[in-house]
Amino acid sequence: MRELSKLLEANRKWAKHMVQEDPEFFRRLLHVQRPDYLWIGCSDSRVPPDQITQTKPGEIFIHRNIANLVIHTDMNLLCVLQYAVEFLEVKHVIVCGHYGCGGIKAAMTRHDYGLINKWLRHIKDIYRLHEAELEGITDDEQRVNRLVEINVIEQLHHVADTSIIQRAWKKRQGPHLHGWVYDLNDGLIRSLIDIPPGTHLDHPIYEFDDLKI
Ligand code: CO
């Protein structure tokens, strides 16, 4: 049980420290959250969004899953996205992957992972779409890392393809969409792609031209 008491003890110290620094801190956040950002990232414990961006409680709304996937039938993600975009009115949606991602690596093998196969299948589909480019990379690590980047770009397009985002773009010219990748080697985030509000999608079949707002 020492592992757990370590967390609770750290929590008590943190709460005390926060009040010492700013006596109104918790009171201010009690009734309202107004984050500017929605973060869609990997569950990997080495990529804690608020720590690597130095955001404080109340500043960043977070959704995480294996390999930061945006799947258009994933109710969990869609509800987070709708809430963040329509009710919190976030200004930015960030999809952030990371080099050396275990989910991406696993999807590039032919190993049977059981239930997880169903999730990794979405990455395998992306691999197939970009096979020519990926197979041209001889170094294994570089090939994984390129798929990490391609995956971020694809998932960001999936965000843009939702009626949630398209409706918001029509209604309030926001949010901006950003694709980032985090490097475990140096702790730095690199920007891969930005999609400003109102941009035409990567394929017109995803565009709704009769959205009710
Ligand atoms: Co990962």
Side-chain angles (χ1 to χ4, degrees):
M1 291 304 275
R2 208 177 310 140
E3 295 91 346
L4 277 183
S5 50
K6 187 178 93 176
L7 298 189
L8 296 171
E9 181 55 33
N11 167 254
R12 276 189 290 272
K13 279 186 187 158
W14 172 79
K16 197 174 160 193
H17 173 76
M18 293 307 275
V19 173
Q20 277 168 352
E21 292 271 297
D22 177 1
E24 293 300 309
F25 183 77
F26 291 109
R27 230 190 312 271
R28 256 199 327 273
L29 285 172
L30 201 54
H31 301 294
V32 68
Q33 59 163 338
R34 280 271 169 267
D36 284 337
Y37 317 95
L38 165 62
W39 174 282
I40 300 170
C42 184
S43 299
D44 194 305
S45 64
R46 298 165 297 177
V47 195
D50 38 7
Q51 217 165 328
I52 64 175
T53 60
Q54 289 290 286
T55 39
K56 294 192 182 73
E59 290 183 344
I60 189 165
F61 202 64
I62 296 172
H63 180 84
R64 294 169 79 179
N65 61 40
I66 293 174
N68 41 273
L69 300 188
V70 177
I71 297 163
H72 64 88
T73 52
D74 178 355
M75 273 304 175
N76 186 347
L77 176 128
L78 291 172
C79 292
V80 168
L81 182 67
Q82 189 194 346
Y83 186 70
V85 170
E86 292 182 9
F87 294 92
L88 298 175
E89 297 193 326
V90 294
K91 297 186 178 87
H92 304 273
V93 177
I94 299 154
V95 172
C96 187
H98 65 101
Y99 293 126
C101 181
I104 300 286
K105 274 187 201 164
M108 292 171 86
T109 72
R110 293 166 67 173
H111 185 72
D112 173 11
Y113 291 95
L115 178 67
I116 306 170
N117 296 340
K118 312 278 183 248
W119 193 255
L120 300 181
R121 166 64 193 272
H122 297 283
I123 307 169
K124 288 177 188 280
D125 291 341
I126 293 170
Y127 182 92
R128 184 169 51 80
L129 282 175
H130 297 269
E131 191 176 15
E133 181 190 344
L134 291 164
E135 287 302 311
I137 302 170
T138 47
D139 182 77
D140 287 347
E141 197 183 329
Q142 278 179 22
R143 196 164 52 248
V144 167
N145 288 343
R146 181 57 190 146
L147 185 54
V148 164
E149 293 176 349
I150 290 171
N151 180 55
V152 165
I153 294 164
E154 289 281 344
Q155 302 310 326
L156 195 70
H157 283 302
H158 292 175
V159 175
D161 295 341
T162 62
S163 54
I164 298 165
I165 290 295
Q166 291 183 45
R167 192 173 289 118
W169 280 356
K170 212 168 165 180
K171 206 171 160 184
R172 65 172 172 99
Q173 286 76 51
H176 291 258
L177 311 183
H178 314 276
W180 290 355
V181 63
Y182 175 78
D183 195 333
L184 295 169
N185 290 295
D186 57 14
L188 293 175
I189 293 169
R190 288 166 180 78
S191 171
L192 295 173
I193 179 176
D194 295 302
I195 305 181
T199 306
H200 280 290
L201 304 179
D202 51 327
H203 195 290
I205 195 72
Y206 299 117
E207 295 203 22
F208 301 101
D209 53 15
D210 59 348
L211 278 173
K212 285 161 199 74
I213 57 169

